[in-house]
Amino acid sequence: MSEEEAILAYLATDANDGIIADTFPWSEAAGLDHKKVIGTAKSLMADGYLLGVDLSFSFYTLTEQGQMVAATGSQEYKVYTAIKESGKMSMADLQTKVGKDVSKVGMANCMKNRWIKKDGADLVPMADDAEDTVKAQLVALQESNGTADSLDEKLAKDLKKRKLVNLVTRKSLKVTKGPSFAPVRVKKAADITKEMLDSGAWKTTPFKPYNFAAVGEKVGGGYLHPLLKVRAEFRKILMEMGFSEMPTNKWVESSFWNFDTLFQPQSHPARDAHDTFFIKEPGTTVSIPQEYYERVKSMHEIGGAGSIGYRYDFERKEAMKNLLRTHTTAVSSQMLYKLANQKGGFQPAKYFSIDRVFRNETMDATHLCEFHQVEGLVADYDLSLGDLIGTIETFFKKIGITQLRFKPAFNPYTEPSMEIFGYHPILKTWTEIGNSGMFRPEMLAPMGLPENVRVIAWGLSLERPTMIKYKIDNIRDLFGHKVEMARTRTAPVCRF
């Protein structure tokens, strides 16, 4: 018979008055495990079958050492008896006779009780007779079943200090019938099922009460990756500066928009398969603006806007090749073309983008084949290099980089061009953090922009400031399949 069956059957019997006065002796009499009886009783109480009152009973039990003293006598009595029988005894002889541990404890207590004393190097009896009260107390404790009131507070403290007794508190229950008592427990349903609805059983089935105040399980997921946190902060800063976001959701571009419109020659090393991921299927784009294509081709072949061009045969099949964009500047060139040919003519504009680009590079701790580029551009009349420097300084100041240096550089589609260096206060060194320049006339003229319109632009990777912000040494720990998922939950909010 299970504990549940035994409890309910006992309480259902009229002769027992529907009460178990104490579950501990009742469990012993029924041959049941008391811990299991308590667990079952609490389960029945939760369903309203039983009512229970907590009981607590404290009593003393003898330790293994206490049981030995109760059987053979205390250490002090053994020491006193040995010395009394010998008349006098040296310390060495005492240890040999009763043992080192017994002599150490026993001699101290004998001295305290004034049963023995020292006589030179020997120990001699001092009392004519002695009574082993410790043994008597322990035996009496055993006979009284260790009831807590059988020892006074001082004596109990001494015995516990000598590790002869332990105070044990036993928990039990007084159990009576509850409001939902029945000889057999009917399991309550937790949820309505389709079968209940079909059969109508839900009308008579007992259900567990719902706890509407219970705290729900913690919802996982929904955390922003550290890159996205920094991206969100950059995006907010650029919008505060009056920039509009460009649509960069198209990762596949044609070589025409990615290279040719930027006045990058078709023989440029960056256009090799060693540096760029070309698309196999579909291998070529569907269409490009024909009139614009002709103007770009002419600029490459014979030049214009004060340039002599590159002086080579521009090939359409090379321009039509599809690839994974190597920079978001491919989107910038499309936006500038639309800006130049929109209804109503050119209007000054400020654009930015933060999105993924792809390069066929050797992967290491600081390089991946795909990364995120932050790019900004301003198109307006008569802009100068000073406007570019001022815009760059404003942006970097907002992300906490106040010390900047600019170094002349070369880019195929900007002139003048500048590398941007920022002072790293922790490393105490100048670090390259971006690139910038003014778009060349050879790029802008075919678009149809007014002659005195200038476009200033700058860009940087999203990964480098993120790695600095979150103290990440290896880019593969930030982006890719090796990223630790827990990092997305623990990374703090990005604030510059």
Side-chain angles (χ1 to χ4, degrees):
M1 182 181 291
S2 68
E3 287 80 9
E4 181 177 309
E5 292 171 338
I7 293 171
L8 294 176
Y10 184 87
L11 294 177
T13 305
D14 294 335
N16 297 320
D17 299 325
I19 183 171
I20 298 177
D22 191 332
T23 54
F24 184 79
W26 182 85
S27 300
E28 287 190 329
L32 299 172
D33 186 326
H34 184 243
K35 289 184 179 179
K36 292 183 179 179
V37 168
I38 290 292
T40 303
K42 289 185 176 181
S43 175
L44 290 167
M45 288 164 60
D47 285 345
Y49 283 77
L50 303 182
L51 297 175
V53 177
D54 291 328
L55 301 177
S56 178
F57 177 68
S58 297
F59 57 94
Y60 289 103
T61 60
L62 271 60
T63 63
E64 184 178 343
Q65 182 68 29
Q67 292 173 359
M68 186 181 297
V69 170
T72 62
S74 66
Q75 295 93 328
E76 56 265 37
Y77 191 75
K78 290 178 181 178
V79 169
Y80 172 76
T81 303
I83 295 173
K84 180 101 186 267
E85 289 175 353
S86 300
K88 66 178 180 178
M89 186 175 286
S90 67
M91 181 67 72
D93 292 338
L94 177 63
Q95 290 180 356
T96 301
K97 184 159 181 76
V98 300
K100 188 174 181 179
D101 292 337
V102 172
S103 67
K104 180 180 178 181
V105 176
M107 191 179 75
N109 286 322
C110 279
M111 292 286 191
K112 182 179 177 182
N113 294 338
R114 305 177 75 81
W115 290 355
I116 63 171
K117 65 179 180 179
K118 278 193 173 184
D119 184 11
D122 295 328
L123 298 169
V124 297
M126 184 176 177
D128 295 331
D129 196 10
E131 181 182 354
D132 193 353
T133 55
V134 174
K135 176 183 177 180
Q137 289 161 353
L138 294 178
V139 170
L141 193 63
Q142 284 179 315
E143 293 173 350
S144 65
N145 295 320
T147 54
D149 56 1
S150 61
L151 292 178
D152 63 56
E153 187 177 346
K154 183 178 182 303
L155 179 58
K157 185 177 179 181
D158 291 341
L159 294 178
K160 285 193 287 185
K161 186 176 180 181
R162 292 183 63 172
K163 298 182 180 179
L164 300 177
V165 299
N166 286 325
L167 181 63
V168 178
T169 300
R170 184 181 69 217
K171 304 286 186 179
S172 59
L173 289 172
K174 176 184 177 182
V175 174
T176 57
K177 294 179 181 179
S180 302
F181 179 82
V184 178
R185 173 156 62 170
V186 178
K187 189 175 181 180
K188 294 182 179 180
D191 296 296
I192 294 179
T193 64
K194 178 180 180 298
E195 290 74 17
M196 290 180 187
L197 295 173
D198 290 342
S199 64
W202 62 274
K203 297 177 183 179
T204 56
T205 300
F207 288 91
K208 290 181 179 179
Y210 283 96
N211 180 8
F212 293 103
V215 178
E217 184 178 353
K218 186 177 180 181
V219 178
Y223 299 94
L224 284 177
H225 187 278
L227 269 177
L228 295 182
K229 292 181 180 180
V230 176
R231 180 187 183 277
E233 187 68 8
F234 278 16
R235 188 170 179 268
K236 176 184 174 184
I237 290 171
L238 287 163
M239 286 185 167
E240 288 176 351
M241 293 174 64
F243 285 78
S244 299
E245 190 166 14
M246 294 185 283
T248 55
N249 55 339
K250 189 173 69 172
W251 292 353
V252 176
E253 290 286 1
S254 65
S255 293
F256 177 74
W257 288 112
N258 195 83
F259 294 123
D260 297 325
T261 63
L262 306 183
F263 196 57
Q264 194 160 334
Q266 293 183 334
S267 61
H268 195 280
R271 301 179 72 149
D272 293 339
H274 296 293
D275 295 298
T276 302
F277 291 108
F278 287 94
I279 304 298
K280 185 175 182 180
E281 185 64 35
T284 58
T285 188
V286 176
S287 65
I288 52 178
Q290 187 59 35
E291 290 184 6
Y292 183 38
Y293 168 82
E294 294 297 338
R295 293 197 296 269
V296 170
K297 177 184 177 183
S298 175
M299 185 62 74
H300 279 251
E301 290 182 339
I302 63 175
S307 170
I308 64 172
Y310 288 116
R311 302 287 177 167
Y312 71 99
D313 292 331
F314 188 88
E315 296 185 9
R316 185 179 181 87
K317 67 176 183 179
E318 186 68 29
M320 299 296 281
K321 288 181 180 179
N322 280 335
L323 50 80
L324 289 176
R325 67 184 180 207
T326 61
H327 44 206
T328 54
T329 316
V331 181
S332 299
S333 64
Q334 295 176 55
M335 294 300 295
L336 288 171
Y337 173 72
K338 290 180 181 179
L339 196 63
N341 296 276
Q342 66 184 347
K343 188 176 180 180
F346 169 79
Q347 294 292 328
K350 299 162 77 173
Y351 293 125
F352 83 94
S353 65
I354 307 173
D355 213 332
R356 198 173 300 188
V357 296
F358 306 87
R359 306 271 177 89
N360 192 1
E361 294 187 353
T362 302
M363 292 188 293
D364 56 32
T366 57
H367 295 85
L368 289 176
C369 290
E370 53 182 307
F371 58 95
H372 294 77
Q373 181 178 344
V374 182
E375 181 170 341
L377 66 89
V378 181
D380 205 343
Y381 295 100
D382 300 319
L383 292 175
S384 67
L385 196 63
D387 295 306
L388 174 61
I389 292 173
T391 302
I392 292 171
E393 287 180 339
T394 301
F395 172 76
F396 281 101
K397 184 177 181 181
K398 286 180 178 289
I399 66 173
I401 302 175
T402 56
Q403 293 179 270
L404 294 176
R405 284 180 179 175
F406 300 91
K407 176 184 175 183
F410 170 78
N411 289 317
Y413 47 89
T414 58
E415 179 61 38
S417 305
M418 300 183 299
E419 291 176 345
I420 309 166
F421 290 81
Y423 185 74
H424 198 302
I426 297 176
L427 299 178
K428 298 188 183 306
T429 186
W430 291 90
T431 305
E432 183 182 353
I433 55 176
N435 218 318
S436 65
M438 299 182 70
F439 285 148
R440 296 175 66 127
E442 296 97 326
M443 173 184 167
L444 302 180
M447 293 177 177
L449 289 166
E451 191 173 329
N452 60 337
V453 167
R454 304 288 181 266
V455 180
I456 57 176
W458 46 268
L460 68 153
S461 77
L462 186 64
E463 281 76 5
R464 180 166 291 181
T466 303
M467 290 172 69
I468 295 172
K469 181 70 177 176
Y470 291 103
K471 296 179 174 60
I472 297 171
D473 298 326
N474 194 323
I475 193 171
R476 287 168 288 195
D477 293 331
L478 173 68
F479 186 70
H481 66 283
K482 293 184 178 181
V483 172
E484 183 183 354
M485 294 304 294
R487 188 185 291 275
T488 63
R489 296 193 296 271
T490 58
V493 173
C494 174
R495 287 291 182 270
F496 288 100

